[in-house]
Amino acid sequence: MKLGIIGNGRAAWAFANTWRRIGWPLTGIARRGEPIEELAATSDIILVAVSDRAIEEVTASIPETDAIIIHASGSLPALRGGFSLHPLKSLPPAGEPSDLEGTLLVFEGAHREVAEEIAMKAGARFAEISRDAKTRYHAGAVFGSNYIAALLDIAEELIGIDGAREDIAALARSAIDNWTAHTDARRFTGPASRGDADVMQRHTGALRDSPELAEIYRLLAARIVAAAK
């Protein structure tokens, strides 16, 4: 399948690298605003890999084409009779090693058989969700990646030990490993999982100069306490 790409960000880079690895042809990569008539005329699939706020506008600007128009947004529905194929993965910046092998590709829209073939050739896994489920699904993906990074920033700030960035990352990986291994209350560790109110009170006291962090702490602790019962 011949792929044309509009955009040059993380998703464009990941799909382009994957396409090259599996030996399928790329008809071209156009930055937003560059001419796309040739892509529309020569591609089997056109990937609109721009920011979510620009996807609808860019998709509408594509000339009449026999190509299937797809995008990789986790929050927006398929457009122009195509499909969305969202990698459930935190993609690295363009220019760094990136591939969709082993990634869960989440599909919505038409031409399911084409999307499944892409996933199979890429060595990826495949799942389908409905149009109505996309926004909630994407909110979950944000919790599972973007907000993890924000929590790691908070942890680094509070721990305050120079050179401990990799150790904090290892701490997070150990928590993820434990969460993966258990579906019951054992997936949690720490004072909230033990119901240790004295420790949690001292923690929130130590955060009194950062009320927003104290509130985040209380909300997450309450979630763990309720789930660990």
Side-chain angles (χ1 to χ4, degrees), residues 28 45 50 54 72-73 91 98 106 145 148 164 175 181 195 199 223:
I45 298 172
V50 297
S73 169
L91 298 174
S98 185
V106 180
S145 63
I148 296 296
V199 171
R223 172 86 181 190

Side-chain angles (χ1 to χ4, degrees), residues 23-125:
W24 283 352
L26 280 170
T27 57
I29 301 175
R31 295 174 182 267
R32 186 182 174 192
E34 292 180 346
I36 54 175
E37 288 77 14
E38 186 174 349
L39 289 184
T42 60
S43 303
D44 298 317
I45 298 172
I46 297 175
L47 169 66
V48 179
V50 297
S51 65
D52 279 14
R53 63 182 176 273
I55 285 176
E56 291 189 20
E57 177 187 349
V58 172
T59 298
S61 74
I62 298 172
E64 282 299 315
T65 177
D66 292 330
I68 299 170
I69 298 174
I70 73 172
H71 65 74
S73 169
S75 62
L76 296 179
L79 299 167
R80 289 185 61 171
F83 59 85
S84 63
L85 198 61
H86 178 249
L88 190 61
K89 179 180 183 178
S90 182
L91 298 174
E96 295 185 7
S98 185
D99 196 289
L100 299 176
E101 186 173 14
T103 303
L104 181 64
L105 298 179
V106 180
F107 162 86
E108 177 272 326
H111 307 285
R112 176 182 170 132
E113 70 286 352
V114 175
E116 285 185 306
E117 184 177 0
I118 292 170
M120 181 188 69
K121 289 287 189 179
R125 294 179 298 116

Side-chain angles (χ1 to χ4, degrees), residues 12-26 29 99:
W13 182 249
F15 273 86
N17 283 342
T18 301
W19 230 258
R20 292 186 183 103
R21 173 177 58 80
I22 64 182
W24 283 352
L26 280 170
I29 301 175
D99 196 289

